[in-house]
């Protein structure tokens, strides 16, 4: 456990020098998540910060960014209570939602390794694993409404996509508590 902050720091340094080695080094955390999740918990904030920094760094390779986003999804699905307790959900949304407003890739390209497309998967993981009453009101008020009220078409599209993605994982809550708001938004 005491070596993990050093490993996180080494990966941050490697990202600026050799992205491929940084990705290979990051596999340590994949292995720990599979077998020793308890070791990661004290370093959850640092790991999440690293993942989010890589996710929003447009100068890094898309594959690198998606690799760190995949780990972020695993953190959400395995450590959801800790993320809520540390109040990190909004921090994740602050990075993921703007990515959803990025221009789409050409149809010929593989979009599964594109951060803008993969951001929807991270949001879906949040919707499936966090309590609806904790996620949906924050997401709707702070992200979906502003995005859908934007004059920028890509931001409106991101807001609508976010609403659709979250509705799948939180449909009961949305039907009971948000139906009128969603209808007003659509109208």
């Amino acid at each position: 456990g005491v070596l993990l902050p050093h490993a996180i720091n080494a990966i941050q340094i490697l990202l600026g020098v050799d992205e491929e080695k940084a990705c290979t080094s990051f596999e340590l955390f994949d292995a720990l998540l599979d077998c020793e999740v308890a070791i990661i918990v004290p370093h959850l904030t640092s790991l999440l910060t690293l993942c989010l920094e890589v996710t929003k760094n447009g100068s890094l390779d898309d594959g690198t960014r998606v690799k760190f986003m995949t780990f972020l999804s695993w953190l959400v699905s395995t450590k959801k209570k800790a993320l809520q307790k540390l109040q990190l959900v909004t921090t994740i949304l602050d990075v993921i939602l703007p990515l959803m407003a990025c221009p789409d890739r050409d149809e010929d390209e593989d979009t599964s390794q594109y951060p803008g497309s993969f951001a929807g998967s991270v949001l879906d993981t949040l919707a499936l694993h966090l309590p609806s009453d904790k996620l949906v009101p924050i997401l709707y008020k702070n992200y979906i409404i502003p995005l859908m009220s934007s004059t920028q078409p890509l931001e409106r599209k991101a807001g609508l996509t976010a609403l659709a993605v979250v509705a799948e994982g939180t449909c009961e809550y949305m039907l009971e508590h948000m139906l009128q708001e969603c209808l007003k938004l659509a109208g």
Side-chain angles (χ1 to χ4, degrees):
V2 294
L3 294 178
L4 291 185
H6 298 293
I8 292 169
N9 189 42
I11 290 167
Q12 287 172 320
I13 293 167
L14 273 173
L15 281 165
V17 180
D18 188 334
E19 221 174 295
E20 193 174 321
K21 284 184 182 170
C23 285
T24 301
S25 300
F26 192 71
E27 290 175 11
L28 162 73
F29 294 103
D30 287 335
L32 289 174
L33 199 58
D34 285 340
C35 62
E36 294 294 334
V37 177
I39 291 174
I40 290 178
V41 174
H43 310 285
L44 197 59
T45 302
S46 299
L47 268 171
L48 181 86
T49 300
L50 173 64
C51 289
L52 293 175
E53 285 173 4
V54 170
T55 296
K56 64 184 176 182
N57 187 341
S59 66
L60 294 173
D61 182 71
D62 286 349
T64 299
R65 294 168 69 198
V66 168
K67 180 179 185 70
F68 281 74
M69 291 171 79
T70 301
F71 187 82
L72 178 61
S73 288
W74 288 335
L75 280 179
V76 168
S77 63
T78 58
K79 302 311 301 168
K80 55 188 167 258
K81 288 183 180 175
L83 290 173
Q84 290 175 81
K85 184 179 176 187
L86 295 169
Q87 299 179 342
L88 296 171
V89 175
T90 303
T91 307
I92 296 169
L93 293 172
D94 285 342
V95 172
I96 295 304
L97 270 291
L99 281 178
M100 293 177 71
C102 291
D104 289 334
R105 294 294 169 125
D106 293 334
E107 289 182 22
D108 299 339
E109 292 185 57
D110 176 17
T111 58
S112 67
Q113 291 297 304
Y114 175 56
S117 299
F118 201 80
S121 297
V122 176
L123 184 58
D124 186 44
T125 302
L126 284 164
L128 292 171
H129 293 281
L130 296 178
S132 299
D133 63 329
K134 303 291 186 224
L135 176 66
V136 174
I138 293 168
L139 180 67
Y140 188 80
K141 179 183 174 205
N142 297 346
Y143 302 93
I144 292 174
I145 289 177
L147 285 168
M148 291 185 69
S149 302
S150 172
T151 58
Q152 300 299 315
L154 289 175
E155 290 182 1
R156 287 195 310 271
K157 179 182 175 188
L160 189 57
T161 301
L163 182 61
V165 167
V166 170
E168 183 182 7
T170 63
C171 61
E172 287 182 29
Y173 177 85
M174 291 187 77
L175 282 172
E176 290 177 27
H177 302 281
M178 309 279 304
L179 183 59
Q180 291 304 313
E181 289 89 348
C182 289
L183 291 173
K184 285 179 198 171
L185 196 60

